[in-house]
Amino acid sequence: MRHLPYFCRGQVVRGFGRSSKQLGIPTANFPEQVIDNLPADVSTGIYHGWVSVGSGDVHKTVMSIGWNPYYKNTKKSMETRIMHTFKEDFYGELLNVAVVGYLRPEKNFDSLESLISAIQGDTAEAKKRLDLPEHLKLKEDNFFQVPKSKIMNGH
């Protein structure tokens, strides 16, 4: 994607229900209109970046943009794995995402175990890259200063 970093925000919606249940790796999901408005040159694949929920703290993230071939999705999705443990669900909250860099293309896997292993590897690589000075500075971007009028449920 030529336009990195790319900033987007939208309400957290329920996803396919697989990340937490089957993978043990919860994700936050955007509604279709956010995905439909991604730049045309966005390649499907795995990206890293920064994320906040409402006006909360900014955390590292790794995200999948695409069709999730292992699950044979018919809808393109953007699944955001926030590298932070939240005490409760935050459906309906405002998710603020800065897509900072591209890790790899999306691919199919021959087993659930190999998919989980790839996600763990992507997460480790994203953590390393986000510690680089050129990526770390984006954590402080004004994009994450969300006006209180845009915040829902106190987050």
Side-chain angles (χ1 to χ4, degrees), residues 6-108:
Y6 177 76
F7 299 91
C8 56
R9 69 171 40 109
Q11 230 177 10
V12 177
V13 298
R14 292 193 182 276
F16 300 106
R18 303 182 291 239
S19 296
S20 290
K21 292 182 185 89
Q22 290 183 3
L23 303 174
I25 303 168
T27 61
N29 300 281
F30 276 128
E32 285 181 48
Q33 61 264 36
V34 173
I35 294 137
D36 292 344
N37 287 319
L38 290 170
D41 69 337
V42 171
S43 299
T44 59
I46 310 305
Y47 291 83
H48 62 281
W50 297 102
V51 62
S52 69
V53 178
S55 62
D57 293 340
V58 179
H59 302 285
K60 293 176 178 179
T61 185
V62 63
M63 67 208 82
S64 167
I65 299 175
W67 304 97
N68 299 13
Y70 181 79
Y71 289 105
K72 300 173 178 51
N73 285 5
T74 57
K75 279 187 189 175
K76 192 175 186 180
S77 66
M78 181 172 173
E79 297 175 308
T80 306
R81 181 184 187 284
I82 303 172
M83 295 181 211
H84 176 77
T85 302
F86 290 87
K87 292 178 184 168
E88 57 190 34
D89 289 338
F90 45 86
Y91 296 112
E93 300 291 342
L94 197 61
L95 188 69
N96 310 292
V97 176
V99 182
V100 174
Y102 184 77
L103 290 174
R104 65 170 177 82
E106 70 176 343
K107 60 183 180 179
N108 202 349

Side-chain angles (χ1 to χ4, degrees), residues 89-131:
D89 289 338
F90 45 86
Y91 296 112
E93 300 291 342
L94 197 61
L95 188 69
N96 310 292
V97 176
V99 182
V100 174
Y102 184 77
L103 290 174
R104 65 170 177 82
E106 70 176 343
K107 60 183 180 179
N108 202 349
F109 295 92
D110 55 10
S111 70
L112 193 59
E113 293 75 23
S114 60
L115 171 59
I116 291 169
S117 178
I119 292 169
Q120 291 168 341
D122 295 336
T123 300
E125 183 62 25
K127 284 179 181 179
K128 281 194 290 193
R129 291 191 190 187
L130 288 164
D131 284 336

